[in-house]
Amino acid sequence: MFGILKPYPSPLISGRGIDLDFAMLAGCLALLGLGLVMITSASSEVAAVQSGNPLYHMFRHLVYVFLGLVACGATMLVPIATWQRMGFLMLLGAFGLLVLVLVPGIGREVNGSMRWIGFSFFNVQPSEIAKVFVVIYLAGYLVRRQTEVRETWMGFFKPFIVLLPMAALLLMEPDFGATVVMMGAAAAMLFLGGVGLFRFSLMVVLAVVAVFVLVQAQPYRMARLITFTDPWSDQFGSGYQLTQALIAFGRGEWLGVGLGNSVQKQFYLPEAHTDFVFSVLAEELGVVGSLLTIALFVFVTVRALYIGLWAEKAKQFFAAYVAFGLAFLWIGQFLINIGVNVGLLPTKGLTLPFLSYGGSSLVICCACVGLLLRIEWESRTHLGSEEHEFSESDFAEETNHGR
């Protein structure tokens, strides 16, 4: 297999052997390892009751980790120019998946939401795929229409012809959290693409108005908005999940109750191994463990932003926008999930990247890591830069990374 791929160098196959950004890789692998440990702990009680095997979710998560690592490696083999050429097809694919998930008999309903396409052994969450495909398409648009985006209103509004229908499909599931993350990442990409401050400010105002209208449109969203400000007023009703999460944080104190010793995971805290895995982590590892986990997330996301900066300096603008977009997707999900867990935001069903249980989220996160590692490698070796031509001989000798 590697012999077939040899004419097409990559971070895994080059004259220098494996040539990766090991700092980025180490940070992501650390999060994957921590996620496996916490999911094993947080899901043991639920798995024991539901399947008779307390390690049921751990074994499934190991399969997802393996698939994620395969996706990461496969993504690193694909040149960034190929992703750029496929941007429009990927956008069409994203629309197709978001339509399919709403079709009765194809989409699978869980807890009142149609967010999954069910297969025999696993489910696919189209919103996770769609967010990344939108980032890739929008990065291509910003490169093709750079002058138009920076200087005209039409260049600014054109992306929303695509983004608004996709947001509408996400809201029909409904998946309000994914909609906010996707639109937030797109807004950040437009700002970095050179949109003027006045137009960007107008977009922010319109976004705030849209969120207010969407919250008012659905009673359950308004109930969540009211409840999270004082969850103890309805401790055993709409505020139950948040109050149990806050109890987990309180029990953890500075150093935690010890790995595996969480009480809240024993059917007190719903979704303990998915949306609220960070609460279990805080209970078992305490403030110190929580802050170290946050520091690891900060390192990974900042590293992703630096990868975008390095690509921009190498004049690989499409790669730079993709890196920025992926970083903002992670930042958005991280801030929302942690905010929900600590009671700063209304409860939303949004996974914590790398840590939460869920096949689609984990595999897509790993694929994004592969894409970022490919971007870093191409920018460092000048593959794809406007001022350099690439040949295999460029990788014949070991050189210093310089980063």
Side-chain angles (χ1 to χ4, degrees):
M1 175 180 177
F2 289 106
I4 297 174
L5 294 171
K6 190 175 181 180
Y8 308 97
S10 73
L12 297 177
I13 308 168
S14 70
R16 293 194 291 264
I18 297 178
D19 187 20
L20 299 172
D21 180 0
F22 286 103
M24 181 69 174
L25 181 63
C28 294
L29 288 178
L31 286 172
L32 282 175
L34 179 62
L36 177 62
V37 171
M38 293 314 306
I39 285 167
T40 303
S41 175
S43 67
S44 59
E45 302 294 333
V46 174
V49 171
Q50 293 181 348
S51 67
N53 180 6
L55 300 180
Y56 173 79
H57 288 108
M58 185 203 76
F59 289 134
R60 286 182 64 89
H61 192 72
L62 276 173
V63 173
Y64 297 146
V65 169
F66 173 75
L67 293 175
L69 294 176
V70 171
C72 179
T75 306
M76 278 189 278
L77 299 177
V78 181
I80 298 302
T82 302
W83 296 106
Q84 186 172 2
R85 288 194 299 270
M86 294 174 58
F88 183 71
L89 293 177
M90 297 173 79
L91 180 70
L92 293 180
F95 271 109
L97 288 171
L98 291 178
V99 171
L100 280 177
V101 77
L102 298 174
V103 177
I106 298 179
R108 182 185 176 191
E109 184 175 348
V110 178
N111 296 330
S113 298
M114 294 278 287
R115 299 181 185 176
W116 295 268
I117 296 177
F119 294 92
S120 56
F121 298 105
F122 61 96
N123 298 318
V124 174
Q125 191 170 359
S127 61
E128 296 290 338
I129 302 172
K131 287 184 292 187
V132 177
F133 284 6
V134 164
V135 165
I136 293 173
Y137 172 79
L138 188 56
Y141 174 82
L142 290 173
V143 171
R144 293 191 306 270
R145 305 288 185 178
Q146 189 174 61
T147 303
E148 189 177 355
V149 168
R150 293 179 176 181
E151 297 180 359
T152 68
W153 283 93
M154 186 56 66
F156 169 67
F157 280 119
K158 279 182 180 178
F160 292 97
I161 299 175
V162 171
L163 292 173
L164 291 179
M166 187 163 289
L169 289 172
L170 287 171
L171 290 172
M172 289 172 67
E173 295 182 4
D175 195 343
F176 187 67
T179 306
V180 171
V181 170
M182 183 191 74
M183 297 300 286
M189 291 176 68
L190 286 169
F191 182 73
L192 293 175
V195 170
L197 186 59
F198 174 73
R199 281 176 286 167
F200 182 77
S201 301
L202 178 61
M203 177 176 60
V204 171
V205 171
L206 292 175
V208 171
V209 172
V211 169
F212 178 78
V213 171
L214 289 172
V215 169
Q216 292 280 352
Q218 293 291 339
Y220 78 93
R221 291 183 187 140
M222 179 56 69
R224 286 181 176 180
L225 185 63
I226 295 173
T227 300
F228 98 97
T229 59
D230 185 15
W232 304 101
S233 62
D234 192 11
Q235 181 179 350
F236 300 104
S238 57
Y240 178 78
Q241 203 166 22
L242 179 53
T243 56
Q244 297 303 314
L246 293 176
I247 290 172
F249 278 93
R251 293 192 75 252
E253 298 183 348
W254 286 102
L255 298 177
V257 297
L259 190 62
N261 294 327
S262 168
V263 172
Q264 293 306 105
K265 70 182 181 183
Q266 299 177 10
F267 303 98
Y268 291 102
L269 179 61
E271 311 295 340
H273 60 295
T274 55
D275 300 340
F276 283 85
V277 68
F278 190 77
S279 296
V280 177
L281 184 149
E283 183 181 3
E284 296 188 349
L285 304 183
V287 172
V288 174
S290 301
L291 291 178
L292 289 175
T293 302
I294 292 173
L296 197 53
F297 269 112
V298 171
F299 171 77
V300 168
T301 52
V302 170
R303 189 75 177 181
L305 291 173
Y306 267 104
I307 288 174
L309 182 62
W310 294 330
E312 189 175 33
K313 289 182 178 179
K315 296 188 177 181
Q316 298 175 2
F317 298 110
F318 171 78
Y321 291 135
V322 169
F324 291 141
L326 296 179
F328 284 116
L329 285 180
W330 286 353
I331 292 169
Q333 287 192 225
F334 166 71
L335 291 177
I336 291 176
N337 185 278
I338 300 296
V340 166
N341 274 255
V342 300
L344 293 177
L345 293 173
T347 302
K348 293 304 306 170
L350 203 62
T351 58
L352 187 61
F354 298 104
L355 259 68
S356 292
Y357 178 81
S360 297
S361 174
L362 187 66
V363 172
I364 292 300
C365 279
C366 291
C368 291
V369 173
L371 194 54
L372 287 166
L373 292 174
R374 177 80 193 196
I375 291 171
E376 189 276 337
W377 179 76
E378 288 197 10
S379 65
R380 174 160 42 81
T381 58
H382 302 292
L383 172 60
S385 296
E386 297 176 355
E387 300 174 351
H388 296 81
E389 293 185 1
F390 170 76
S391 66
E392 179 67 22
S393 61
D394 293 333
F395 302 93
E397 298 180 358
E398 186 74 30
T399 59
N400 184 18
H401 286 200
R403 292 179 185 166

